[in-house]
Amino acid sequence: MNRETPESNSESSLLSHLIELRTRLMRGLAGVFVVLLGLLPFTSKLYNWIAEPLIARLPVGQSMIATDPAGGFIAPVKLAFFVALFVSAPWLLYQAWAFVAPGLYQRERRLALPLLASAVTLFYAGCAFAYFLVLPSLFKFVINFTPEVISVTPDASAYLDFVLVIFLAFGASFELPVALVILVLLGWVTPAQLKEARGYALVGIFVLAAVITPPDVVSQLLLAIPMYLLYEAGIIASKWITPRETKESL
């Protein structure tokens, strides 16, 4: 009679987890691929949309250029790929959640779902804030201070890289309340300590904004002010969660 040893059970469990991980990865990539295929016919419209904050503020007769012979093709396709990732983010997070959820306690699941939903929503909000407010203000400021003898003809690929960095910076910065709540839940800080550290946080936020944004006052303020407000929102959210966690632990 064959008996399974603890080692064989461990190997079988590890193998099943690896198979499940591969399945989730394949499903996630398949979702991104499907969205990308749907976006490819609209690459020109997508690029025109992403370029609107700059094109609308260029002097009459000036437009973008492609210094690379294939730049006019690569930039829109690259944008379509990143938009596909952006749109598929909830699907990718769902696959990650479906993989880790069976190993979580019910209380951990109840906390993780709102945090994941908040993280996705705040990242989208940060990108929208960057597109509708930051980029128009930034380009208006830059172009107004550009001497008339300088012709503004940005490269299509360089512009896309710049915009993606801005989106990533603002999207990640808007995750601050979620990060603070997680720190409180881990017990690394308390809401009272976050409240006392407001002054240090304000200085750190302005330093961070100066580092990750272009060297102009407009974009730095447009990042620093929302980040500080989000810091305050993180304190409020952590205060709301802490009493509930304390009650559940009693």
Side-chain angles (χ1 to χ4, degrees), residues 48-97:
N48 291 341
W49 174 77
I50 205 72
E52 178 63 22
L54 175 59
I55 296 299
R57 287 155 186 83
L58 286 177
V60 178
Q62 295 185 8
S63 61
M64 290 188 181
I65 61 172
T67 56
D68 184 352
F73 167 78
I74 293 176
V77 173
K78 181 179 178 180
L79 174 61
F81 171 75
F82 280 101
V83 172
L85 283 178
F86 185 83
V87 172
S88 305
W91 171 249
L92 295 173
L93 287 174
Y94 169 75
Q95 296 302 321
W97 169 254

Side-chain angles (χ1 to χ4, degrees), residues 25-151:
L25 286 174
M26 294 300 294
R27 289 178 181 177
L29 293 175
V32 175
F33 183 71
V34 169
V35 176
L36 177 60
L37 286 180
L39 291 175
L40 286 178
F42 307 100
T43 53
S44 296
K45 292 183 178 180
L46 284 174
Y47 196 90
N48 291 341
W49 174 77
I50 205 72
E52 178 63 22
L54 175 59
I55 296 299
R57 287 155 186 83
L58 286 177
V60 178
Q62 295 185 8
S63 61
M64 290 188 181
I65 61 172
T67 56
D68 184 352
F73 167 78
I74 293 176
V77 173
K78 181 179 178 180
L79 174 61
F81 171 75
F82 280 101
V83 172
L85 283 178
F86 185 83
V87 172
S88 305
W91 171 249
L92 295 173
L93 287 174
Y94 169 75
Q95 296 302 321
W97 169 254
F99 177 72
V100 303
L104 299 177
Y105 294 108
Q106 183 178 1
R107 170 176 157 276
E108 293 172 335
R109 295 182 189 179
R110 193 166 59 248
L111 288 172
L113 280 174
L115 287 175
L116 283 175
S118 299
V120 174
T121 303
L122 286 171
F123 187 85
Y124 285 164
C127 294
F129 181 82
Y131 179 81
F132 291 105
L133 183 60
V134 177
L135 291 179
S137 302
L138 171 62
F139 293 136
K140 181 179 180 180
F141 175 83
V142 171
I143 292 176
N144 286 342
F145 281 86
T146 300
E148 294 182 359
V149 295
I150 299 178
S151 178

Side-chain angles (χ1 to χ4, degrees), residues 111 180-181 183-185 187 189-192 194 234-249:
L111 288 172
L180 294 179
V181 169
L183 291 177
V184 171
L185 290 175
V189 295
T190 64
L194 293 175
I235 295 176
I236 296 173
S238 63
K239 286 181 179 179
W240 180 76
I241 286 178
T242 302
R244 179 165 36 170
E245 290 299 297
T246 303
K247 291 177 183 178
E248 290 180 355
S249 63

